[in-house]
Amino acid sequence: MRPVNRGEWPKDVDGHNIPFADYSDARDDLIRRIGDYCSYCEVCLHGSIAVEHVRPKKPQPALEREWTNFLLACDNCNSTKSNKDVDLAHYFWPDRDNTVRVFDYDLDQPPRIKTGLDPVLRPIAERTIALTGLDRVPGHPSYSIRDRRYLKRKEVWGVALIARGNLKQNDTPQMRDSILHTAVSRGFWSVWLQVFHDDEEMRSSLIKWFPGTATDCFDGNTRPIPRLGGLV
Amino acid sequence: MKIHQIKLKNFHCFEDREFSFGSRFNLIIGDNATGKTTLLDALSVGLGSLFLGFPEPASPRNITSDEVRLATYHHGDSWTVEPQYPTQVDCSGEVDGRQGTWHRALTSKDGRTTRQDADWIRAEASRLSEAVKQGQPAILPVISYYGTGRLWVQLRQTKTKASKVDTLKPDTRFVGYLDCLNPASDVKRLLEWFKTQEISALQQGTLNSTLEAARQAILSCIPGGSHVGFDVSRDELMIRFAERSLPFSFLSDGYRNMVAMVADIAVRCATLNPYLKAKSSQETPGVVLIDEIDLHLHPRWQRRVVDDLLRTFPKIQFFGTTHSPFVIQSLPPIEGVQLLNLDDEHAEEFANKSVEDISEEIQGIELPQRSKRFKDMMKAAEEYFAILGKAEQATPAERDAMKARLDALSMPYSDDPAYQAFLKMQRTSAGLDGEVQ
């Protein structure tokens, strides 16, 4: 899960918050700020993505058009998360926490809780995975055949590993650029970060190239650091 | 020209319905009898209003009395049907870069389609028409409607084509609107145009850029075609493929239909805006309506037809209807491309969905059983993910073998052509090709 910063409420020329007549009007601003990726599973949806209410609008109608309550989500994450109200303190959130410090990504696999995570925080991480069904792959009891997240993630693993091989053969600025273009157009930032875990330059570029990645989650050497205001 | 919105009242099956459109491609889907062709007919009324201000052979499209909605009433044992006048078509759109609205209505059985509320479009048309009269380079939008009857007409004409193809005399630019809203297309005129251009190029001994533009447009939509041209000695339009040349009349239904339609659009563009020369297909704006865009096309071709049209005619707004999940799936997720589902008013997401999901979720067809290959893939995926979790239970070789099997089985279920190509390449270099089938 990529930690993101959606930035301040979009302003008009006089510096006032632009009100959203409908929550879906925030979509373009959100895509500009944090890219057209699902905030939870990180799939890239090239524009066909929906505005997600962190706290669902049904139980929290006051937050329906509230900028700070918006993220972007894919169909699968959105429908698994459903309309159930959530207590923000019981979950990790990509716009509040340094989620890089919570989850690990291994070849083709769904996000896994880091072995070193403080045991006190483990239940929070488990709830976060369950909230949007990030661990659902064929064989999982709640897996539905309409859920293609695992397939998309697997595709990106394949492409990212090939990119890594290409870079080894031919390490040029042009190759790095073209890999970054590929990464941005395919999403799954966490997978790319893992594949290039030992390449600080690449990690630093990935943090910069994906729009809205929360830069305050990393030190100067791209090592994750605690996020101000977050649980981790 | 573009249509942004249309509002229909008592038009055929639509009692009161409003549609908003994308600027590039609008794919209309829905069950039989939900009004797909009716929507195209209504659009042709809207488009045909431009001809209120154009000289012949452009002729305005009016609302016909059989397009009036009929209400059915039940009286115990018997039924009556009552026509619901007035029938109204309200449009908002763009002509020559300016925005406006216009309205047409049929208010009674013996009445004529009203034009008093179509002043705006009539004035725009008159302005364009005056510029054309003065020989100025005003851009005329191409307008064309291809109905499902398009193939039949061509068949009949090619069968009786004992006589030779005539050549065309110089004529007005407006001839590019001849019969353009008639859903049946005219292949005779197309052949005549090609013959005339080909002969004129031969006589002048130079490349004819207008003819080249039409050739390029056709070839960019015909997979495998390498040349298209009128063979004067054979008196036939010939299409050259890698290994052989075929006369137009010998082409399969799918090819002939596609060649004729793309050629017709390209030739109309060239006729309407001859001063654009080689750029007539790329620079001519307009609106094209295509009923059943997948008509007679192989699924592989269905997957590319939308892209081909968008690329070949970058300034045209298209409206197409289809039942084909392949066409729906192929819609590129770009600005201005829109799926209109008449069964269900709210817009659907179509990108990143498999053909199976589109049949099931968008078109509402339950798939009683997925293919054997799909089930095999799910089983392979289950096995693979089961061992991934516990590294100690499988050797790297076993894991790689399972991964390879899953890769091979999932290839056809990926919507990502680049990834498929990567996988194929990898499998070929590993000598695995054809192993898992």
Side-chain angles (χ1 to χ4, degrees), chain B residues 192-207:
Chain B
E192 290 171 354
W193 185 89
F194 266 97
K195 183 172 185 176
T196 310
Q197 298 292 329
E198 207 80 68
I199 290 174
S200 117
L202 284 173
Q203 275 185 346
Q204 290 165 14
T206 52
L207 274 185

Side-chain angles (χ1 to χ4, degrees), chain A residues 120-140:
Chain A
V120 181
L121 298 174
R122 271 193 85 85
I124 300 181
E126 282 162 9
R127 275 196 294 268
T128 306
I129 286 183
L131 181 68
T132 54
L134 289 179
D135 56 344
R136 293 184 187 175
V137 294
H140 185 286

Side-chain angles (χ1 to χ4, degrees), chain A residues 43-49 75 107-110 137-140 143-146 148 150-159 161-162 166 182 186, chain B residues 333 349-354 357 360-361 366 370 374 377-378 381-382 384-385 388-389 399 403 406-407 410 413-416 418-419 422-423 425-426:
Chain A
V43 67
C44 178
L45 286 172
H46 298 292
S48 52
I49 194 164
D75 252 8
L107 176 71
D108 293 348
Q109 291 188 61
V137 294
H140 185 286
Y143 175 75
S144 133
I145 53 168
R146 291 183 183 176
R148 294 163 58 78
Y150 84 93
L151 208 57
K152 299 309 253 184
R153 188 172 50 230
K154 192 168 157 304
E155 286 179 8
V156 172
W157 264 102
V159 173
L161 287 172
I162 289 163
N166 288 344
T182 308
R186 283 171 184 273
Chain B
E349 182 191 314
F350 47 82
N352 298 317
K353 276 202 157 102
S354 69
D357 289 341
E360 211 166 297
E361 295 168 29
E366 288 280 336
R370 299 236 173 186
F374 181 83
M377 175 187 74
M378 293 317 285
E382 282 174 27
Y384 179 54
F385 285 112
L388 270 185
R399 196 199 64 187
K403 179 174 165 58
L406 177 58
D407 284 348
S410 58
Y413 295 94
S414 166
D415 310 316
D416 184 338
Y419 175 66
F422 274 135
L423 279 183
M425 208 170 63
Q426 266 197 321

Side-chain angles (χ1 to χ4, degrees), chain B residues 181-298:
Chain B
L181 288 176
N182 179 351
S185 51
D186 179 5
V187 80
K188 183 167 156 277
R189 206 186 143 75
L190 206 61
L191 299 177
E192 290 171 354
W193 185 89
F194 266 97
K195 183 172 185 176
T196 310
Q197 298 292 329
E198 207 80 68
I199 290 174
S200 117
L202 284 173
Q203 275 185 346
Q204 290 165 14
T206 52
L207 274 185
N208 174 335
S209 57
T210 315
L211 176 61
E212 294 311 313
R215 274 203 240 282
Q216 284 316 314
I218 297 169
L219 291 176
S220 92
C221 292
I222 307 303
S226 61
H227 183 78
V228 55
F230 199 91
D231 185 324
V232 180
S233 55
R234 293 185 63 152
D235 209 32
E236 292 240 47
L237 187 66
M238 301 292 292
I239 323 283
R240 192 187 307 144
F241 295 93
E243 286 168 2
R244 58 195 173 148
S245 284
L246 283 174
F248 173 76
S249 54
F250 282 21
L251 296 177
S252 72
D253 288 355
Y255 270 93
R256 198 173 50 242
N257 179 30
M258 195 68 187
V259 170
M261 188 170 74
V262 174
D264 192 67
I265 302 174
V267 168
R268 285 183 193 277
C269 290
T271 310
L272 291 167
N273 299 307
Y275 64 93
L276 291 176
K277 294 183 186 144
K279 288 194 170 138
S280 58
S281 294
Q282 277 138 45
E283 293 294 328
T284 300
V287 183
V288 168
L289 315 174
I290 307 169
D291 205 0
E292 293 195 20
I293 188 160
D294 48 293
L295 199 66
H296 305 288
L297 295 182
H298 185 280

Side-chain angles (χ1 to χ4, degrees), chain A residues 75-113:
Chain A
D75 252 8
N76 290 116
C77 288
N78 208 339
S79 62
T80 311
K81 187 164 167 281
S82 80
N83 285 330
K84 207 174 72 230
D85 200 8
V86 292
D87 184 337
L88 296 184
H90 290 176
Y91 303 88
F92 289 115
W93 300 102
D95 59 330
R96 185 193 67 193
D97 300 300
N98 186 356
T99 38
V100 174
R101 305 181 71 214
V102 181
F103 302 108
D104 263 340
Y105 289 77
D106 298 314
L107 176 71
D108 293 348
Q109 291 188 61
R112 197 166 48 76
I113 300 167

Side-chain angles (χ1 to χ4, degrees), chain A residues 194-227:
Chain A
Q194 174 59 33
V195 167
F196 291 100
H197 62 95
D198 53 0
D199 185 332
E200 195 181 306
E201 186 191 336
M202 210 61 187
R203 285 172 62 92
S204 162
S205 304
L206 285 164
I207 292 166
K208 279 189 216 119
W209 279 52
F210 276 70
T213 310
T215 47
D216 59 345
C217 289
F218 306 91
D219 67 10
N221 303 315
T222 73
R223 276 188 299 259
I225 52 172
R227 187 171 182 182

